[in-house]
């Protein structure tokens, strides 16, 4: 067993995941290749040192299919000798790609790897890869299948979060993201996406709405109320959780994660590989964990996986200086804070997916990088990164500064 160090990380800006979004003309392959190329060029990295590239992609079909990690490495100039593999653990794919790449180093089988992820949600729509869970009664009935938005509203109902609570959290996310950009906190890691002529297409997260207020959010109707009532999902939620009399629908586009395009890459290696490459480690991966949680409520996995990863690391939550909890929906983060009796002073301090968006396969790697940059900015020692996951799972990683 050996230590796995993080030597660098980059990400693209997040482009709105619609046909009029800035990155709609850029394929997932191109996004992934640009992050890999930036990681190589800015570190003067000899690609022959890279033993594997692991990338998350939640809908790996069509132009995003066919092992996008391998073809992205070739497009990025890594040569024919660098292998790649694509993985999918839904929303945690990008973080698990980093964890898998780190595990290759920790086991001693590889010396230097890259983990990351990519999603072009404007070009390959969410759910394009299909799956049995929503449509096959063999699993849908057994697991009380619910769409994620209904699960988010179930969490809000079960644990007492009002429409004002979730909207207030969303406003805070927008304000924090805007402040982070204004103060240059992302400047070290965000690389501009360029066209084939080298002209910048997008240099800043496009989804943000810093003018958001409680009043503007109050004008939005709940997104999942009709689905819950007329498609019968509210009844399923009550059947799975009979302690709830009815679902209070509080989530909408303004307090849920944005659909966006983007990619990220993280350079990982052991100490000797870093020395040979002339690189200084920025952080060490201390522990990571995965867990299954109840599929109907689905989005509470960060609670149990945080307890698990802290046990593995021999730490308590008081030992953690910064926390990134993916903002899939506002109630996910509010429940995390409620469960652990935390305020928001060290959680998602630079905003999150509500403000900047959630490119499914890339987000985990993105928020890990955000945590590392913020640790350096604050001279903090430790950070925990965690995401909720479809069908009820959680992934978490603890990193410490070197």
């Amino acid at each position: 067993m050996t230590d796995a160090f993080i030597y660098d990380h980059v990400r693209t800006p997040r482009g709105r995941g619609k046909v009029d979004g800035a990155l709609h003309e850029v394929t997932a392959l191109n996004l992934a290749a640009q992050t890999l190329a930036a990681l190589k060029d800015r570190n003067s990295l000899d690609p022959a040192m890279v033993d594997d590239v692991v990338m998350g992609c939640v809908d790996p079909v069509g132009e995003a299919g066919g092992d996008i990690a391998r073809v992205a490495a070739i497009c990025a100039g890594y040569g024919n000798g660098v292998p790649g593999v694509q993985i999918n653990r839904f929303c945690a794919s990008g973080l698990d790609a980093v964890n898998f790449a780190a595990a290759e180093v920790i086991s001693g089988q590889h010396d230097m790897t890259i983990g990351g992820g990519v999603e072009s949600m404007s070009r390959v729509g969410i759910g394009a890869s299909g799956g049995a869970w929503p449509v096959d009664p063999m699993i849908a009935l057994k697991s009380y299948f619910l769409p994620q938005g209904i699960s988010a509203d179930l969490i809000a109902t079960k644990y007492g979060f009002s429409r004002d609570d979730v909207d207030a959290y969303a406003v805070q996310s927008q304000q924090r993201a805007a402040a982070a950009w204004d103060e240059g906190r992302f400047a070290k890691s965000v690389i501009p996406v360029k066209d084939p002529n080298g002209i910048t297409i997008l240099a800043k997260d496009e989804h943000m709405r810093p003018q958001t207020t409680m009043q503007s959010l109050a004008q939005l109707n709940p997104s999942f109320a009709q689905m819950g009532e007329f498609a019968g999902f509210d009844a399923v939620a009550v059947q799975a959780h009979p302690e709830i009399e009815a679902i209070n629908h509080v989530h909408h586009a303004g307090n849920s994660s944005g659909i966006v395009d983007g990619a990220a890459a993280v350079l990982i290696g052991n100490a000797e590989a870093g020395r040979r490459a002339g690189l200084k480690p920025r952080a060490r991966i201390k522990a990571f964990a995965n867990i299954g949680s109840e599929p109907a409520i689905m989005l509470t996995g960060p609670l149990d996986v945080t307890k698990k990863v802290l046990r593995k690391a021999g730490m308590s939550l008081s030992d953690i200086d910064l926390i990134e909890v993916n903002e899939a929906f506002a109630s996910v983060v509010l429940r995390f804070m409620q469960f652990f009796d935390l305020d928001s002073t060290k959680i998602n301090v630079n905003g999150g997916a509500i403000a900047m968006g959630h490119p499914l396969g890339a987000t985990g790697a993105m928020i890990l990088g955000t945590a590392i940059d913020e640790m350096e900015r604050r001279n903090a020692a430790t950070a925990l990164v965690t995401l909720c996951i479809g069908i009820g799972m959680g992934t978490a990683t603890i990193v410490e500064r070197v």
Side-chain angles (χ1 to χ4, degrees), residues 238-290:
V238 172
Q239 191 175 31
H241 287 264
E243 69 276 15
I244 301 299
E245 293 185 4
I247 300 298
N248 180 25
H249 291 284
V250 297
H251 287 92
H252 50 73
N255 56 35
S256 307
S257 57
I259 294 172
V260 294
D261 306 331
V266 180
L267 181 62
I268 304 156
N270 59 31
E272 177 56 29
R275 283 192 289 269
R276 285 191 284 117
L279 300 175
K280 180 181 178 181
R282 297 175 60 184
R284 182 176 77 92
I285 295 179
K286 186 173 180 64
F288 52 83
N290 299 96

Side-chain angles (χ1 to χ4, degrees), residues 248-330:
N248 180 25
H249 291 284
V250 297
H251 287 92
H252 50 73
N255 56 35
S256 307
S257 57
I259 294 172
V260 294
D261 306 331
V266 180
L267 181 62
I268 304 156
N270 59 31
E272 177 56 29
R275 283 192 289 269
R276 285 191 284 117
L279 300 175
K280 180 181 178 181
R282 297 175 60 184
R284 182 176 77 92
I285 295 179
K286 186 173 180 64
F288 52 83
N290 299 96
I291 203 163
S293 60
E294 193 232 310
I297 205 164
M298 196 185 320
L299 308 173
T300 57
L303 310 180
D304 289 334
V305 80
T306 292
K307 292 189 291 184
K308 181 177 181 178
V309 77
L310 287 169
R311 286 196 304 269
K312 289 175 66 68
M315 302 172 72
S316 66
L317 206 55
S318 62
D319 298 319
I320 303 295
D321 297 321
L322 289 167
I323 301 171
E324 288 283 332
V325 181
N326 185 40
E327 295 175 353
F329 299 89

Side-chain angles (χ1 to χ4, degrees), residues 21-32:
L23 298 181
H24 176 62
E25 66 187 83
V26 186
T27 64
L29 171 59
N30 197 332
L31 290 172

Side-chain angles (χ1 to χ4, degrees), residues 25-72:
E25 66 187 83
V26 186
T27 64
L29 171 59
N30 197 332
L31 290 172
Q34 290 200 37
T35 59
L36 293 177
L39 206 59
K40 170 173 64 73
D41 294 345
R42 71 192 224 156
N43 291 288
S44 301
L45 180 64
D46 178 3
M49 294 188 65
V50 178
D51 295 307
D52 202 5
V53 176
V54 186
M55 300 206 81
C57 185
V58 173
D59 283 298
V61 295
E63 65 187 28
D67 191 355
I68 197 167
R70 166 64 171 163
V71 292

Side-chain angles (χ1 to χ4, degrees), residues 95-185:
L95 185 61
D96 253 329
V98 174
N99 292 343
F100 284 22
E104 294 179 325
V105 172
I106 292 169
S107 69
Q109 302 306 304
H110 288 159
D111 297 323
M112 181 168 281
T113 57
I114 293 173
V118 63
E119 210 77 41
S120 178
M121 300 180 76
S122 70
R123 297 177 65 91
V124 181
I126 185 170
S129 56
W133 185 41
V135 297
D136 188 336
M138 183 175 182
I139 181 62
L141 294 175
K142 180 178 182 179
S143 61
Y144 296 96
F145 166 74
L146 294 174
Q148 284 197 354
I150 305 291
S151 293
D153 286 339
L154 173 58
I155 291 172
T157 304
K158 183 177 175 72
Y159 297 105
F161 304 125
S162 68
R163 172 67 182 260
D164 282 350
D165 292 334
V166 291
D167 281 357
Y169 182 83
V171 171
Q172 176 182 269
S173 179
Q174 295 283 357
Q175 293 172 342
R176 287 180 168 184
W181 270 104
D182 290 345
E183 296 172 15
R185 298 184 194 178

Side-chain angles (χ1 to χ4, degrees), residues 327-342:
E327 295 175 353
F329 299 89
S331 64
V332 173
V333 186
L334 292 176
R335 175 56 182 154
F336 188 93
M337 291 191 292
Q338 181 190 64
F339 183 83
F340 289 109
D341 192 23
L342 300 169

